[in-house]
Amino acid sequence: MAGVAGGNDFQWCFSQVKGAIDEDVAEADIISTVEFNYSGDLLATGDKGGRVVIFQHEQESKNRPHLRGEYNVYSTFQSHEPEFDYLKSLEIEEKINKIRWLPQQNAAHFLLSTNDKTIKLWKISERDKRAEGYNLKDEDGRLRDPFRITSLRVPVLMPMDLMVEASPRRIFANAHTYHINSISVNSDHETYLSADDLRINLWHLEITDRSFNIVDIKPANMEELTEVITAAECHPHQCNVFVYSSSKGTIRLCDMRAAALCDRHSKFFEEPEDPSSRSFFSEIISSISDVKFSHSGRYMMTRDYLSVKVWDLNMENRPVETYQVHEYLRSKLCSLYENDCIFDKFECCWNGSDSAIMSGSYNNFFRMFDRNTRRDITLEASRESSKPRATLKPRKVSTGGKRKKDEISVDSLDFNKKILHTAWHPKDNVIAVAATNNLYIFQDKIN
Amino acid sequence: GAMECAVDAQSLISMSLMKIHSSRTQRGGIKLHKNLLVSYVLRNARQLYIKEKYAEIYRMQQYEEVMAVCSGIQELDPLEPLEPQGAEDAEPEQPYYRSCCMEDQFSQNCNKTTVLDLDTHVVTTVENGFLHQDCCCAAAPQCAPGAAARKRKVDSAACSPDAEEPSDYTAGRKRLKREECSGADCSPDASNISNLISIFGSGFSGLLSRQADLEQVCSKQALASLGAWTRAIVAF
């Protein structure tokens, strides 16, 4: 499976875009998470308004088998509502921070969605039959007068238009004092972890009234606080292993068999800081915003403000690969601090074969890196290049003095157009890129 | 344009404090992660600010001692009266002091008088006029063309075979000053400087560990404003 564009055999092209075209973006419509399910058949997005929208992949049409099918809306539901914590006088945002799918076990689909405080398990099921001919109520649901019932009949299942229902099956609440940043389903398909700034809890999917605290980094005196947990993930195959990243740019791998409380790590991943690049903002840009295991489970990838790093789980003292996402921003850190962009949390993702990685940038640019060829490409999610099956043109940011034609200078970048969330289909070359309130879907075009 | 930003410690400090303050009214509650990162920038900026202020104090201190030595030398040799010379001779050794004392337009506004008592090492400054932040007048014994003349006297003396003596004397007095200021009977200002030296020698570490130390030893003259800033960072 090819990873990155370039060369004669592989190019990315536009497939679809979802969302309003309006220049005026409603805050609630801003997409906050994107996730394919295990088969890639379903694509879920969460937004700041607490809504979840699920797209389903349609079968390829028989007329044009060389084109992949499209993703169309499958289900939409309100997952979280704004809440108010009266004790602390705090409003709890309804923004969906993360969605994680469960592996499919029957006809229904299950996903976990979380805001800052509460995780919910949703069941998405199809209904295409309806029972008709009830005895006690008539067709529109009104109760029949018992005295009018003179005979007994057996209800019959009749076909109906497909209806997709989403219902909350479990609500996992009141377990996090701080803001939840991650959830991750374990490979045992029975448990999952949730992480906030200072603690990580382990849940059983069936049990909502209690969870186990497995990591607690809260200091006795909060004035001694020096780092927080920024992301956590379960190992894809070893159900006893998980990792969590910190604001100091370190990653800890923990083994749940070692102790009930995994405050002591099994492995500690940290790259020594380059003293020559020290600045006011060194701590901010080294903070890890995302950590993802490779599908193989052999590697993990971390994203900090300027780069993506691939780590071999067997080597703790430095990453095996480092990719610069937008190094040209290093000289602009002060301005980015002033306008708060330096706090943006970019995510990263692997392709299905772990041969390529992707992460977002500004100006609606996103970057892909091929780990084998070491080629990288910058593409843009824009309405201008949104003609059906139009090939995406590689973009370039000019860093030197002379700006070439078609290049864009650093000062012209639009820092309000940020690509924080991207997802790669688990098997095919299909990617979903969230650009503020729009979801772009790109796929490969094989000549 | 939009990307320009002043990377000086002071503006970063105020920017950071504004961010901490506005985060308290943000929807969804205080973001612990963001505030922690902001406090790191605040610490870094404050460290630089303190170092710069310390360097400034140190330079002023040096200049005071040089001037005190010069005036001492002048008193010993009454046969050489002071005579103001042409401006073209006024090349200062240390460029820091050039800002206002050497320029006539400012000299009439500089009415600060700073006196260093050579016995007790007490520095007192009388403010009676216009204040220049970078003004050498804050440290100079007297802000007048006479001061320039005295400085030039040092230069000419330095060219003589006796040149080594004044500088050795100055250095010697500086060393003496440091050693004497380890006890409790030292004047507040001088002991503050030596404490700052010991802090810088051991290096800064930790987020707020030195905050209490700094608030105790920082000279009010130079660092009083920082006290308000550090108090603003309350744990959330």
Side-chain angles (χ1 to χ4, degrees), chain A residues 280, chain B residues 8-14 16 39-52 226:
Chain A
F280 289 115
Chain B
D8 73 283
Q10 209 159 345
S11 62
L12 273 182
I13 288 171
S14 52
S16 304
S39 64
Y40 272 112
V41 175
L42 193 53
R43 181 200 66 168
N44 295 340
R46 203 175 73 203
Q47 281 177 353
L48 183 68
Y49 183 82
I50 287 169
K51 276 188 197 168
E52 285 174 352
L226 274 185

Side-chain angles (χ1 to χ4, degrees), chain A residues 76-282:
Chain A
T76 305
F77 57 93
Q78 188 74 32
S79 171
H80 287 73
E81 299 273 6
E83 285 172 55
F84 198 79
D85 181 340
Y86 293 97
L87 211 56
K88 295 179 192 167
S89 262
L90 281 179
E91 196 179 355
I92 300 168
E93 279 188 290
E94 67 275 28
K95 172 170 79 94
I96 309 293
N97 292 335
K98 285 280 152 53
I99 289 174
R100 289 289 183 263
W101 290 93
L102 266 60
Q104 194 175 9
Q105 286 170 330
N106 51 38
H109 298 278
F110 289 87
L111 61 78
L112 287 169
S113 70
T114 185
N115 69 350
D116 284 339
K117 297 287 181 182
T118 305
I119 307 134
K120 295 187 183 180
L121 176 69
W122 288 89
K123 176 180 179 182
I124 297 104
S125 48
E126 292 182 4
R127 187 199 286 256
D128 61 357
K129 293 180 191 53
R130 183 179 58 209
E132 284 178 16
Y134 284 102
N135 291 291
L136 295 177
K137 58 181 179 180
D138 55 25
E139 292 314 310
D140 45 8
R142 283 179 305 185
L143 287 172
R144 287 169 78 191
D145 191 355
F147 295 107
R148 298 271 179 85
I149 300 167
T150 53
S151 62
L152 215 54
R153 57 183 176 172
V154 177
V156 179
L157 287 174
M158 301 296 288
M160 59 177 263
D161 288 337
L162 178 67
M163 199 166 74
V164 181
E165 296 175 321
S167 57
R169 304 302 286 179
R170 305 274 186 275
I171 297 185
F172 305 92
N174 303 320
H176 285 280
T177 309
Y178 302 95
H179 293 140
I180 296 174
N181 52 57
S182 312
I183 47 174
S184 180
V185 181
N186 208 346
S187 53
D188 61 10
H189 303 163
E190 285 185 349
T191 58
Y192 75 96
L193 62 75
S194 59
D196 67 30
D197 292 317
L198 298 177
R199 298 194 177 97
I200 302 180
N201 294 329
L202 184 72
W203 301 82
H204 192 285
L205 283 163
E206 300 291 329
I207 300 167
T208 59
D209 62 353
R210 91 194 88 109
S211 71
F212 289 100
N213 175 245
I214 52 177
V215 173
D216 188 340
I217 65 166
K218 184 179 177 191
N221 181 4
M222 276 298 271
E223 293 194 11
E224 292 162 5
L225 181 73
T226 57
E227 71 181 320
V228 296
I229 297 168
T230 53
E233 199 179 47
C234 292
H235 191 277
H237 311 307
Q238 297 167 32
C239 57
N240 54 298
V241 171
F242 67 94
V243 291
Y244 69 92
S245 59
S246 87
S247 55
K248 278 193 172 172
T250 64
I251 309 102
R252 289 169 177 81
L253 184 142
C254 300
D255 186 334
M256 289 189 269
R257 296 171 304 187
L261 192 59
C262 298
D263 277 359
R264 289 172 57 190
H265 51 263
S266 298
K267 294 195 184 187
F268 182 74
F269 298 83
E270 184 179 32
E271 182 173 32
E273 191 196 345
D274 176 14
S276 65
S277 65
R278 179 115 193 103
S279 76
F280 289 115
F281 311 104
S282 294

